[in-house]
């Protein structure tokens, strides 16, 4: 697979990063914070991050349980997004509460029980919020999740890529794996000499000969963008689907899960599924103004894929962020950086070695 180096390097960097989704950007931020040089390759073939809802929410609202490592994740993620906002002069972090609609008195009681648990008490308000919105069918009211928000992932990626491009650090080309060459000092790729390569390609990993064996489970997700002036909510509503306000009476409605059709094309099936759930939730008229699709890089055990190739020691993977990428991305990026540069062991829960037999 790997050739012997024969080209003289024109550019020398510490890292090549492949991918500018949430994982790739999070790792680039680790490199910047530690004064490491890098270049990035991205051919815009993966859309998972750009179509993400971008919510950060430390609670699994289906089961009223805490998200894995939620405190540690948010402690890293929110300052990182604030730093990107400041440096790129963009607005990314929109603080907004999440309301979980209750379907019954039993769910209300389950919520109260969960809000007493040590891991959840800081996140779950013990107060039941009564529904006073005539456009929403919620006779049992809502539970509020605290300290939640939305990261505008699409804006972040566009601004980040533009900044990389202005500094001549972005190559908008497909990465050609067979042109990687091992050298005494690391890796040579075309005219670039690098100590390490980090692959943060999302679903694109399935074309990566070094890491395609990893058990990534691609899950297509689709979202609708709707316009509905009569709804008038200033919170994220979770009830079968989620509704995320974007301003100007527009909302994201999502999301679907599809495991067979793994194209980035939108489907009538997903549109009808989301519209049917939305009609059960709200009674006001709405207009669908857009529909988007992307492939989520999920893993069966719901933990990311992070680690080092077993033979080619200068090649690393950062993938499998799943549906909570904005929370977990910065956390696992730091884990990988500390593993490479500071010899700190990876957590077993995310290390790709867990799948070795």
């Amino acid at each position: 697979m790997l050739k012997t180096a024969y080209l003289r390097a024109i550019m020398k960097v510490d890292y090549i990063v492949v991918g500018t989704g949430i994982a790739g950007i999070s790792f680039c931020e680790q490199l910047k914070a530690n004064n490491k040089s890098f270049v990035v390759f991205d051919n815009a073939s993966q859309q998972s991050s750009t179509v993400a809802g971008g919510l950060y929410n430390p609670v699994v609202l289906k089961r009223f349980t805490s998200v894995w490592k939620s405190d540690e994740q948010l402690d890293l993620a929110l300052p990182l997004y604030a730093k990107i906002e400041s440096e790129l002069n963009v607005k990314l972090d929109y603080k907004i509460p999440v309301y979980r609609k209750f379907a019954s008195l039993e769910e209300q009681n389950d919520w109260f029980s969960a809000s007493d648990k040590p891991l959840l008490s800081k996140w779950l308000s013990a107060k039941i919020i009564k529904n006073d919105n005539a456009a929403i069918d919620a006779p049992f009211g809502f539970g509020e999740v605290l300290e939640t928000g939305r990261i505008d992932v699409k804006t972040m990626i566009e601004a980040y890529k533009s900044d990389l491009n202005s500094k001549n650090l972005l190559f908008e080309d497909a990465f050609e794996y067979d042109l990687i060459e091992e050298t005494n000092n690391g890796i040579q790729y075309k005219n670039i000499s690098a100590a390490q390569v980090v692959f943060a390609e999302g679903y694109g990993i399935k074309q990566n000969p070094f890491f395609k064996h990893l058990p990534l489970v691609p899950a297509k997700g689709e979202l609708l963008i709707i316009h509905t002036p009569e709804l008038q909510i200033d919170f994220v509503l979770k009830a079968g689907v989620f509704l995320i306000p974007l301003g100007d009476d527009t909302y994201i409605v999502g999301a679907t899960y599809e495991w067979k059709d793994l194209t980035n094309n939108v489907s009538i099936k997903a549109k009808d599924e989301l519209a049917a759930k939305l009609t059960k939730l709200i009674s006001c008229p709405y207009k669908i103004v857009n529909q988007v699709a992307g492939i989520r890089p999920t893993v069966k055990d719901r933990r990311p894929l992070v680690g080092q190739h077993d033979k080619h020691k200068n090649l690393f993977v950062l993938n499998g962020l799943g549906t909570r990428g904005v929370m977990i991305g910065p956390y696992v990026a730091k884990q990988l950086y500390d593993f490479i540069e500071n010899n700190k062991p990876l957590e077993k829960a995310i290390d790709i070695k867990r799948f070795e037999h």
Side-chain angles (χ1 to χ4, degrees):
M1 178 64 64
L2 296 185
K3 303 174 182 178
T4 302
Y6 60 88
L7 292 174
R8 183 183 298 274
I10 296 174
M11 179 183 290
K12 187 173 183 179
V13 293
D14 296 314
Y15 283 82
I16 294 173
V17 178
V18 183
T20 58
I22 295 168
I25 288 174
S26 296
F27 195 78
C28 288
E29 285 299 293
Q30 283 295 317
L31 298 178
K32 288 166 64 176
N34 289 280
N35 296 312
K36 298 292 183 181
S37 58
F38 63 93
V39 293
V40 183
F41 282 80
D42 191 293
N43 66 347
S45 63
Q46 303 307 310
Q47 295 181 192
S48 174
S49 290
T50 57
V51 302
L55 285 181
Y56 56 89
N57 164 25
V59 181
V60 181
L61 289 174
K62 192 173 184 180
R63 301 186 294 274
F64 304 160
T65 55
S66 178
V67 170
W68 178 75
K69 301 275 187 181
S70 56
D71 281 339
E72 295 93 331
Q73 289 179 26
L74 288 173
D75 284 348
L76 283 171
L78 298 186
L80 181 142
Y81 297 127
K83 176 174 174 286
I84 295 174
E85 280 185 325
S86 175
E87 291 180 351
L88 302 186
N89 195 29
V90 289
K91 174 67 173 173
L92 301 178
D93 188 356
Y94 293 85
K95 307 294 185 185
I96 185 169
V98 173
Y99 285 13
R100 166 62 151 82
K101 175 190 166 184
F102 295 129
S104 63
L105 290 173
E106 183 182 17
E107 279 200 343
Q108 285 186 357
N109 292 331
D110 290 343
W111 180 274
F112 282 127
S113 297
S115 68
D116 278 338
K117 295 178 180 177
L119 286 176
L120 290 169
S121 59
K122 67 182 287 188
W123 307 119
L124 298 184
S125 169
K127 179 183 176 183
I128 299 296
I129 298 174
K130 292 183 178 180
N131 177 40
D132 59 3
N133 189 321
I136 301 173
D137 178 26
F140 298 100
F142 314 104
E144 180 180 359
V145 188
L146 307 172
E147 299 185 45
T148 56
R150 178 180 71 88
I151 300 299
D152 187 342
V153 178
K154 187 172 186 290
T155 293
M156 177 175 72
I157 291 173
E158 289 173 353
Y160 210 90
K161 289 176 72 172
S162 177
D163 184 63
L164 290 173
N165 206 26
S166 71
K167 297 170 180 172
N168 296 316
L169 299 178
L170 178 65
F171 294 87
E172 296 184 271
D173 306 313
F175 192 85
E176 300 176 66
Y177 307 101
D178 59 346
L179 296 185
I180 293 179
E181 304 161 353
E182 288 184 309
T183 70
N184 292 332
N185 299 316
I187 292 296
Q188 178 132 346
Y189 178 74
K190 297 184 178 179
N191 64 337
I192 303 169
S193 173
Q196 327 285 358
V197 181
V198 172
F199 293 103
E201 306 158 287
Y203 176 51
I205 197 176
K206 288 299 183 181
Q207 279 70 54
N208 185 324
F210 303 106
F211 293 106
K212 66 181 181 181
H213 64 283
L214 293 174
L216 189 82
V217 182
K220 181 175 181 176
E222 297 190 51
L223 306 172
L224 300 179
I225 310 297
I226 65 168
H227 183 256
T228 172
E230 292 180 33
L231 185 54
Q232 295 293 311
I233 62 173
D234 58 358
F235 53 86
V236 174
L237 178 56
K238 179 72 173 73
V241 290
F242 60 72
L243 272 168
I244 305 175
L246 296 177
D248 297 324
D249 298 322
T250 60
Y251 300 82
I252 295 174
V253 183
T256 59
Y257 287 81
E258 167 64 47
W259 286 271
K260 292 181 180 178
D261 171 18
L262 297 178
T263 69
N264 285 322
N265 301 324
V266 298
S267 67
I268 294 175
K269 175 186 173 185
K271 179 181 177 181
D272 290 346
E273 177 187 332
L274 291 172
K277 290 180 178 179
L278 184 61
T279 300
K280 289 181 180 179
L281 179 60
I282 65 173
S283 57
C284 56
Y286 65 87
K287 179 182 179 182
I288 297 172
V289 295
N290 198 11
Q291 182 176 354
V292 292
I295 311 300
R296 306 179 190 91
T298 66
V299 185
K300 190 174 183 180
D301 65 3
R302 299 178 185 272
R303 298 290 180 266
L305 300 170
V306 184
Q308 182 180 40
H309 195 278
D310 59 347
K311 293 180 181 176
H312 307 297
K313 302 300 184 181
N314 303 91
L315 305 184
F316 300 86
V317 64
L318 185 65
N319 208 314
L321 303 191
T323 58
R324 297 182 185 272
V326 296
M327 281 182 62
I328 202 169
Y331 179 77
V332 292
K334 187 175 190 307
Q335 285 262 322
L336 180 58
Y337 181 85
D338 284 342
F339 171 72
I340 299 171
E341 295 290 343
N342 302 320
N343 296 314
K344 290 186 180 179
L346 291 168
E347 290 186 34
K348 291 181 180 179
I350 64 173
D351 194 336
I352 57 174
K353 288 183 178 178
R354 71 190 187 273
F355 295 113
E356 293 179 359
H357 299 290

